[in-house]
Amino acid sequence: METAAESKCSASDEYMIEASNLTKKFNDLVVFENLNIKVKKGEVLVVIGPSGSGKSTLLRCLNYLETIDKGKIVIEGEILNPKDKKMLRRVTTKMGMVFQNVNLFPHMTAIQNVMEAPIVVKKENRSEVRKRAEELLNKVGLGDKMDYYPSKLSGGQKQRVAIARALAMNPDIMLFDEPTSALDPE
């Protein structure tokens, strides 16, 4: 097993994300093969392709919600090691993701959905998290919907709660899987 120092990638510290020779298969279906990506701090990368071409799978591989079959993923200079669960959790906590299907907790209000992960995962102070959650919900135009449950929100409103929820973790990296699909053009 590698130590933390050994898992650091010496030549790629300038990249936030570096994926090399990634291959992902589902049985006989090859989703992508020998895929290479480099993303610098502050850079925006957009992946465009038809439905079913592997865009969502790629994002899920980058934050290790899916395992890769071959290749290497480096996040902020650290090589993801699937055998080191503690390291995976620490590194992937630095990444926020807004899913295609927003997956809000139906039994929680908008503000509770935004507050949940910083409190539970990062053990942050509840009152500080609440203040940040209120600011984020105001920023996405939902200051008046903080106490609404997902069943009372439109698709676009749920999408904006999901964006606020991902930002509440103060991630270094944001991954968006069709984040505007339920939003009006404006």
Side-chain angles (χ1 to χ4, degrees), residues 102 104 109-111 113-114 137 140 142 145 153 156-166:
V102 294
L104 297 178
T109 63
I111 195 152
N113 266 282
V114 175
L137 286 169
V140 297
L142 293 174
K145 306 275 192 244
L153 298 173
Q157 290 169 333
K158 290 176 190 174
Q159 192 82 34
R160 287 184 279 155
V161 170
I163 291 168
R165 177 181 61 185

Side-chain angles (χ1 to χ4, degrees), residues 7 57 59 139:
S7 72
T57 301
L59 294 178
K139 190 178 264 189

Side-chain angles (χ1 to χ4, degrees), residues 13 16 23 27 35 40 46 50 54 56 87 92 96 99 103 105 111 114 122 138-139 155 157 163 165 180 184:
D13 287 343
M16 295 291 285
T23 298
N27 298 318
L35 180 70
K40 291 181 179 181
V46 178
S56 298
M87 183 271 285
T92 58
F99 295 89
N103 301 320
F105 296 114
I111 195 152
V114 175
K122 288 188 155 183
N138 279 314
K139 190 178 264 189
Q157 290 169 333
I163 291 168
R165 177 181 61 185
T180 59
D184 295 327

Side-chain angles (χ1 to χ4, degrees), residues 36-129:
N36 297 293
I37 297 171
K38 291 181 181 181
V39 183
K40 291 181 179 181
K41 184 174 184 158
E43 190 173 27
V44 175
L45 173 69
V46 178
V47 180
I48 299 172
S51 181
S53 63
K55 301 178 302 290
S56 298
T57 301
L58 171 61
L59 294 178
R60 293 176 60 81
C61 287
L62 290 176
N63 66 10
Y64 242 83
L65 294 172
E66 286 284 348
T67 57
I68 57 174
D69 295 306
K70 187 181 118 191
K72 176 175 76 172
I73 299 172
V74 181
I75 303 297
E76 295 185 322
E78 274 193 88
I79 300 168
L80 295 187
N81 178 353
K83 294 178 179 155
D84 187 346
K85 302 300 182 199
K86 193 174 185 179
M87 183 271 285
L88 277 179
R89 201 170 18 262
R90 179 178 46 75
V91 172
T92 58
T93 300
K94 299 177 186 180
M95 302 171 77
M97 183 157 174
V98 179
F99 295 89
Q100 207 170 74
N101 300 320
V102 294
N103 301 320
L104 297 178
F105 296 114
H107 63 289
M108 293 183 174
T109 63
I111 195 152
Q112 289 170 331
N113 266 282
V114 175
M115 292 174 61
E116 183 71 4
I119 291 170
V120 173
V121 176
K122 288 188 155 183
K123 310 288 188 230
E124 292 184 29
N125 176 282
R126 180 178 277 295
S127 62
E128 290 174 18
V129 171

